Amino acid sequence: MADAPDGRPRPAEPRRHWAIRSLTATRDTSVRSWRWWARNWDRLVAALQDEEPVGLAAPATPSGPLVEQRTAPRQIVVPAQGYVYSFHIRATFAWSSTVSLRAEVLTWYADYFMPQAIQRLTRLAADAARELAPHRAAELEMHLQQTLAAQGPWRYQRGDLEVSCAPDVAVRLDEHIRRAVQPQIDRLVNLECRLEEHLRQARYAEELSRRWVAILDDHLAVAGGDPDLATARQHLLSRQRDAVRWIDELLAQRRRPQQGQFATPTVTPRPSGLDTGGDLPG
């Protein structure tokens, strides 16, 4: 189309220049977008997968299966023998899977199966607790730990995915029982301290007698049959046997099962005439 007489372009000319500029800008934007996608495509794919693709500078992850540690939101309370007092159980659960999962996926499965695991542990604890007196929290804890170890991890499945759970427990006394047995526990601690002190004295006396007997044996070998040395040796041998007997009795009392967890034990006193003082001979 010819120009106007004054040399200016006809009205269609500006529209053609605007269309060319728009196409050029669109092309440049498309090229920049394509370059951005080419640089970031691998990272976008990795974000949608469970594992980072090889070659990306991702932080090192710990070896072994991912484990989600969970504590029950509240203590599990089960009745003791007589159904008057209760045991209080603090339960923790270690959730894991044999397949590789993202942390948020394992967390979702732990939340999903946690009520079932708590219910199963509650039934297990209730069956054992109803046969135990309310002050036998240690026995209940030991029984539950042994039972859980024998059963192995608990397994739960949803669809094709399976997760496992390893429970752990700590049993506490009912607060009323704890206050009632506190004086008896204090006496037991005191008796245990006395037992340790008597054991220390008995071992010291046995070692002292044994070393003096060895010294007298050396003197008898040099002096011959000295009656005074022989009498002293026999006396020390008698004291050594008394010390060994005392040690055996104290150790037997420590190992002897008591008639009830809080039964008051006895501590065998030191045999009369047994020397536990003085320095050991060199």
Side-chain angles (χ1 to χ4, degrees), residues 12 18 31 47 55 59 83 99 112 162 174 207 225 239 262 265:
W18 176 84
V31 170
Y83 288 85
V99 299
Y112 184 82
E162 182 182 83
D174 188 287
E207 176 69 8
R239 299 283 73 79
F262 297 107

Side-chain angles (χ1 to χ4, degrees), residues 32 63 68 122 124:
R32 287 195 297 269
S63 59
E68 174 85 7
T122 302
L124 189 66

Side-chain angles (χ1 to χ4, degrees), residues 85-162:
Y85 298 105
S86 302
F87 294 109
H88 299 258
I89 303 170
R90 182 179 181 272
T92 58
F93 303 86
W95 295 90
S96 61
S97 177
T98 56
V99 299
S100 177
L101 295 177
R102 296 196 308 271
E104 59 270 22
V105 176
L106 184 59
T107 298
W108 186 91
Y109 277 96
D111 290 337
Y112 184 82
F113 289 115
M114 192 76 164
Q116 298 182 38
I118 293 175
Q119 186 180 26
R120 179 175 176 179
L121 181 59
T122 302
R123 289 197 302 266
L124 189 66
D127 290 342
R130 68 170 57 99
E131 304 296 332
L132 292 175
H135 63 274
R136 297 182 180 274
E139 295 182 30
L140 177 59
E141 180 174 314
M142 184 178 300
H143 171 80
L144 289 176
Q145 289 177 347
Q146 292 174 348
T147 302
L148 293 173
Q151 290 181 354
W154 297 348
R155 303 189 182 279
Y156 298 91
Q157 188 166 357
R158 188 174 188 270
D160 295 332
L161 184 61
E162 182 182 83

